[in-house]
């Protein structure tokens, strides 16, 4: 600890937000080059040109920085998936597109950046809040599509909706969660389509 | 190589079968204590009290011994699952029991023996023939139940049966494959039931 450790704690405000973002961007670059696990906050501070205490003013720990990067990345995946389903109106087609886009975007983001994959693996293993929030958003998105399909009279209504949403989420999970995705490449070409079709058959009237 | 390396190659015959089995049992014990990765064939030979060349008479490599152990273990899982479905006649109930028993037996065998889990992880990562054979048997078993259910008039017949069998297998895969299973513990209580129900809903007439 340096003598300005009294500054530690969460900072707030628009200017602070910019600094936070600047630290995140620089940290992501640094992690991309040297890896998340091996990097210390001291090394990160040196590479950004800030004092370690100054970084601690914005982030409580290295994990907090990793979390922010991970959250950003998961939000991007979610936005792309939402954009993919926004252009169609049929609930069946929305479900099909969700099953196609989520795995594809996840794979693309992580293949583009192996070191980002490393952070995502940490996030998924440690059940970081960003991961849990993301999974809940996917479950919610699934449930919304199910509700729409039921109202439109396209999907069966006998099964409790939470059971349907949960089982559909469990089917999709191996292609979302980076820990599972890394072992699901072999099936990647056919699995999302086959599984969307299975779920749609299960929803038939 | 010792000077009796000329003996190398696959041995056959009933007595040879016993020696092979004895090597497998001893190797499994040795791997359980010291781990699969760290053990060399020389160490294995020393611990069993055979020459390295004598072991090479029965197994081409350490992986071949690991494969034999793995095959044995996967056959045990398959037998238990077959026994679990043999006592019921309804195809729906067979499917339910398959979805329940395969994950449960897999988890039990591997939790009982962490080192066996290590061999299974190698087998699954390296796509060892034993793993591929096992997966094909599970797919075949699923297909048999589907055929029975279609003949009995319990399951829909519109969807190509290979698509139905493949998608059901993909749904089950995270709970069979040790690489995925190790990241699926959180859902383990509810997932097999929820997923069997989903597949059964997809098969409804």
């Amino acid at each position: 600890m340096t003598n300005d450790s009294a500054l530690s704690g969460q900072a707030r405000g628009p200017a602070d937000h910019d600094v936070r973002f600047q630290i995140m961007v620089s940290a992501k670059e640094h992690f991309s080059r040297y890896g998340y696990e091996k990097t210390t906050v001291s090394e990160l501070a040196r590479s950004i040109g800030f004092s370690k205490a100054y970084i601690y003013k914005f982030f409580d720990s290295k994990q907090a920085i990793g979390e922010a990067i991970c959250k950003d990345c998961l939000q991007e995946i979610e936005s792309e998936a939402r954009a993919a389903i926004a252009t169609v109106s049929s609930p069946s087609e929305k479900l099909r597109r969700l099953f196609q886009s989520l795995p594809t975007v996840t794979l693309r983001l992580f293949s583009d950046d192996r070191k980002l994959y490393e952070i995502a693996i940490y996030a998924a293993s440690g059940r970081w809040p960003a991961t849990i929030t993301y999974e809940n958003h996917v479950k919610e998105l699934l449930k919304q599509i199910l509700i729409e399909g039921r109202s439109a009279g396209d999907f069966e209504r006998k099964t409790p909706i939470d059971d349907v949403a949960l089982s559909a989420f469990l089917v999709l999970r191996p292609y979302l969660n980076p820990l599972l995705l890394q072992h699901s490449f072999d099936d990647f070409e056919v699995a999302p389509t086959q599984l969307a079709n299975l779920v749609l058959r299960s929803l038939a009237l």
Side-chain angles (χ1 to χ4, degrees), chain A:
Chain A
M1 277 286 164
T2 59
N3 56 2
D4 49 353
S5 66
L7 288 171
S8 286
Q10 288 300 307
R12 291 285 173 268
D16 285 348
H17 185 270
D18 290 348
V19 182
R20 232 180 107 83
F21 187 70
Q22 194 193 334
I23 295 172
M24 257 176 67
V25 171
S26 306
K28 195 176 161 186
E29 224 182 275
H30 193 87
F31 290 148
S32 286
R33 199 165 307 159
Y34 304 101
Y36 173 75
E37 196 185 3
K38 285 182 195 156
T39 302
T40 64
V41 175
S42 303
E43 285 165 350
L44 209 55
R46 212 174 308 132
S47 105
I48 306 179
F50 286 164
S51 75
K52 194 172 148 188
Y54 191 65
I55 290 189
Y56 276 123
K57 197 178 159 199
F58 297 92
F59 293 97
D60 288 337
S61 59
K62 183 176 83 170
Q63 184 178 319
I65 306 174
E67 279 245 16
I69 294 170
C70 192
K71 193 177 158 192
D72 212 49
C73 170
L74 294 174
Q75 275 173 349
E76 189 180 334
I77 297 173
E78 195 184 322
S79 301
E80 287 207 37
R82 283 186 188 271
I85 64 173
T87 53
V88 287
S89 57
S90 133
S92 298
E93 192 50 31
K94 282 186 185 182
L95 199 115
R96 230 181 262 285
R97 293 208 176 184
L98 191 67
F99 267 66
Q100 209 57 250
S101 61
L102 277 174
T104 309
V105 179
T106 309
L107 187 64
R108 199 198 62 222
L109 270 182
F110 292 143
S111 326
D112 285 356
D113 191 339
R114 286 298 304 172
K115 299 291 184 179
L116 186 60
Y117 203 93
E118 193 203 336
I119 304 179
I121 294 281
Y122 268 84
S125 312
R127 305 288 297 142
W128 289 2
T131 311
I132 295 170
T133 304
Y134 171 69
E135 290 188 353
N136 286 337
H137 286 184
V138 174
K139 279 180 206 160
E140 268 309 307
L141 200 50
L142 279 166
K143 197 170 165 181
Q144 273 171 32
I145 298 174
L146 293 170
I147 291 171
E148 270 180 53
R150 285 183 175 204
S151 316
D154 294 348
F155 299 158
E156 63 96 359
R157 301 175 192 215
K158 278 178 300 177
T159 318
I161 196 157
D162 286 332
D163 285 2
V164 181
L166 173 62
S167 56
F169 174 77
L170 289 171
V171 165
L172 198 49
R173 192 177 157 264
Y175 306 91
L176 298 184
N177 185 308
L179 291 167
L180 298 150
L181 182 62
Q182 62 185 342
H183 306 300
S184 305
F185 295 152
D186 284 354
D187 310 314
F188 205 83
E189 285 299 309
V190 294
T193 307
Q194 285 285 348
L195 293 171
N197 287 342
L198 168 76
V199 171
L200 286 171
R201 288 196 300 275
S202 81
L203 296 171
L205 293 164

